[in-house]
Amino acid sequence: RYVLAMAEIPAHAERAQIDPNGDGELSPAEVDRYRTAAAAALLHGVELEIDDTVTPLELQAATLSFPSGQAG
């Protein structure tokens, strides 16, 4: 399991990448596109080695959430 948690300011700045049309609304398609691309980018270059054998990792699931922070 890999969890990437961003503080409010970086997460707010990242929304521009998630919302390429700039309408301020994150559509399901935009969220899905971003989530898929971000998960693939995080997985790239990561490997698991067990007893000198590289075991390939594969994406099982990816989620994206926007919990409210202190500044809302």
Side-chain angles (χ1 to χ4, degrees):
R1 181 173 288 198
Y2 186 99
V3 176
L4 175 63
M6 293 184 190
E8 287 180 69
I9 293 172
H12 180 74
E14 194 71 8
R15 287 179 77 100
Q17 299 298 317
I18 303 169
D19 183 25
N21 66 6
D23 68 356
E25 297 293 324
L26 301 180
S27 72
E30 289 172 328
V31 170
D32 185 53
R33 180 197 56 79
Y34 176 84
R35 180 181 57 235
T36 301
L42 289 169
L43 187 60
H44 180 74
V46 175
E47 60 183 36
L48 173 65
E49 188 174 320
I50 302 172
D51 296 329
D52 297 323
T53 301
V54 174
T55 302
L57 299 175
E58 62 181 56
L59 181 64
Q60 296 294 312
T63 60
L64 180 64
S65 65
F66 298 98
S68 294
Q70 189 162 356

